[in-house]
Amino acid sequence: MEDNYDKILWEGYGLRFLGGNRIRTGYLCKTDIGLLEIRKSNSQKKRILFEHDIKEYLYQKGFHHINRFIMTQTALPYYTWEENDYVVEKASETQHLEEDDKQTFLTGAKLLGKLHNTVKGLNSASGYFTAKNRLEVYEKRRIELLKIKKRIEKQGSYSSLDLMIKQKFAYYIEKIEQSKKLFLEADYEKIVETVSKQKTICHNAFKGENIRQDENSNLLVTGFSKCTYDSNMVDLAMYFRRYLKKQQWDIEVVEKMFYAYASENTLSLQDKKILLALFIYPEKFLSLCNEYYNKRRVCVSPAMLERMEVCIAGIDSNEKMIKWLETI
């Protein structure tokens, strides 16, 4: 295996491999320019190029909380060897931020706002737009839920999961409709146009394991491989949900997170409507339904039942959060 890394570093980067060892995220290599981490990438080449464009744009605009790719001798951010793509970055000793501390989320919200504000305006030929597909996805999920209910009602007997779906069907269908209505009220075509014009980026994986800190408390954002062009509010809604799940629906801290984020990236009235619409949309419930019904599971596992029970048990708290978002 070490021979492979020796060849990749020398042939791809013109660097000498002086030894190393495997780590969780890849392979730690000693080279003639210092410690580097080499990883086999599972992303398409276009996504690697988009990630590279994002990092370089951020760095040029003063956002240095990132690890940039080492460029190959042919000026590419990846090297292809034996039909696999590899990326190389400077190695850094960091630990992810533990999400059992409220302060972590306040720090994260401020960092997310700074990230979003700094990366605006990036024009990358490798970028993916997801904003334009959202209403189509919502309508598809609504139709799928109707089909699931119809399928359940055709059965002669009901499982525990079937009964939960039947009991809460009207509530979740209403939430999908409310979310769609809010997007339309906010002029969805204009939202898509704004994303296209301002080139706003969504990280799509902003969470503790991708927010890292070194021994000097310097922060580092990783996990850019899932980035797309989309509304910044997608990230913020996801980060709110993550906090509420970890911290038992402490809405007071969410308010502080909101203002920490807004101190770095000012929110328009349209942004606030998008945030509310995203939060109303029952993404977790629909994801669980898809996982079981659309994949034709033979039996309901205890773990699946527990996850659905937890999801439904959060309805009252979720409604309190929605009411707060309506006031901002």
Side-chain angles (χ1 to χ4, degrees):
M1 181 61 74
E2 287 194 353
D3 288 344
N4 294 347
Y5 294 121
D6 189 353
K7 290 177 182 178
I8 291 168
L9 287 171
W10 179 248
E11 295 177 10
Y13 298 86
L15 300 174
R16 296 192 179 280
F17 176 72
L18 305 175
N21 58 279
R22 183 167 296 282
I23 56 176
R24 185 182 65 84
T25 53
Y27 200 86
L28 188 65
C29 303
K30 296 177 183 178
T31 74
D32 49 343
I33 64 167
L35 281 176
L36 300 177
E37 181 182 341
I38 183 168
R39 301 192 311 274
K40 183 166 75 172
S41 175
N42 295 319
S43 299
Q44 297 175 351
K45 288 180 174 63
K46 191 174 181 181
R47 282 202 172 272
I48 300 173
L49 291 170
F50 188 37
E51 182 177 353
H52 168 66
D53 288 346
I54 290 170
K55 289 180 177 181
E56 290 303 303
Y57 189 79
L58 284 168
Y59 193 84
Q60 289 164 15
K61 294 189 72 176
F63 188 95
H64 295 166
H65 308 278
I66 50 172
N67 261 347
R68 301 155 73 194
F69 290 132
I70 303 295
M71 303 300 284
T72 66
Q73 296 185 93
T74 55
L76 285 173
Y78 62 86
Y79 180 68
T80 304
W81 190 76
E82 292 191 348
E83 299 183 353
N84 292 309
D85 296 325
Y86 292 84
V87 294
V88 178
E89 297 174 340
K90 287 184 178 179
S92 57
E93 291 189 23
T94 59
Q95 292 186 335
H96 68 265
L97 291 187
E98 297 293 342
E99 294 186 323
D100 55 0
D101 182 2
K102 295 175 182 179
Q103 184 58 45
T104 291
F105 284 91
L106 293 175
T107 300
K110 189 174 180 67
L111 184 63
L112 180 61
K114 186 177 181 181
L115 169 65
H116 282 163
N117 190 47
T118 307
V119 79
K120 281 180 185 175
L122 166 65
N123 191 7
S124 170
S126 304
Y128 288 74
F129 281 83
T130 49
K132 60 186 177 183
N133 302 321
R134 184 153 283 107
L135 282 185
E136 294 176 11
V137 170
Y138 284 13
E139 180 59 18
K140 182 180 177 181
R141 296 292 176 263
R142 186 186 72 85
I143 292 170
E144 286 175 355
L145 186 56
L146 288 169
K147 288 180 179 177
I148 287 170
K149 181 174 181 286
K150 189 175 181 180
R151 193 186 312 159
I152 289 171
E153 290 175 341
K154 280 186 176 180
Q155 297 172 170
S157 59
Y158 303 134
S159 69
S160 298
L161 190 63
D162 293 337
L163 289 171
M164 281 191 273
I165 302 299
K166 281 174 61 67
Q167 290 167 0
K168 297 301 179 183
F169 172 81
Y171 172 82
Y172 285 112
I173 278 287
E174 181 185 6
K175 291 297 145 186
I176 296 173
E177 295 291 355
Q178 285 178 1
S179 184
K180 285 178 60 182
K181 184 180 177 182
L182 275 170
F183 271 122
L184 292 172
E185 286 177 359
D187 191 347
Y188 192 70
E189 292 301 321
K190 192 173 181 180
I191 293 169
V192 175
E193 183 183 326
T194 299
V195 170
S196 181
K197 184 178 179 180
Q198 296 184 354
K199 299 293 191 296
T200 52
I201 298 290
C202 184
H203 185 280
N204 288 314
F206 194 83
K207 52 188 175 181
E209 66 187 68
N210 287 325
I211 311 168
R212 309 190 70 83
Q213 191 173 51
D214 66 18
E215 59 183 9
N216 297 317
S217 298
N218 296 312
L219 295 174
L220 190 74
V221 182
T222 62
F224 285 90
S225 61
K226 295 182 179 180
C227 283
T228 57
Y229 282 120
D230 204 341
S231 168
N232 293 158
M233 296 303 97
V234 175
D235 273 344
L236 190 56
M238 289 172 64
Y239 202 50
F240 279 172
R241 287 187 185 280
R242 190 166 184 85
Y243 171 77
L244 292 167
K245 177 183 176 182
K246 296 280 185 180
Q247 297 292 339
Q248 300 182 340
W249 296 89
D250 186 344
I251 295 174
E252 287 185 12
V253 174
V254 171
E255 184 173 359
K256 293 178 182 178
M257 289 171 63
F258 175 83
Y259 289 111
Y261 176 92
S263 70
E264 296 288 346
N265 190 36
T266 304
L267 275 68
S268 65
L269 179 60
Q270 188 182 59
D271 286 331
K272 294 174 183 178
K273 285 185 178 180
I274 296 169
L275 182 61
L276 175 60
L278 288 166
F279 208 90
I280 287 174
Y281 181 69
E283 187 168 350
K284 183 64 176 179
F285 175 80
L286 294 172
S287 174
L288 291 172
C289 286
N290 176 66
E291 186 176 334
Y292 176 72
Y293 292 98
N294 291 344
K295 295 182 180 178
R296 307 283 179 166
R297 302 289 188 188
V298 176
C299 61
V300 184
S301 69
M304 170 62 76
L305 274 178
E306 183 180 357
R307 289 161 67 196
M308 184 61 82
E309 287 169 352
V310 169
C311 177
I312 291 173
I315 285 177
D316 289 343
S317 298
N318 196 64
E319 286 297 316
K320 290 178 183 177
M321 180 66 184
I322 290 170
K323 284 183 172 60
W324 177 76
L325 284 170
E326 290 172 338
T327 67
I328 60 175

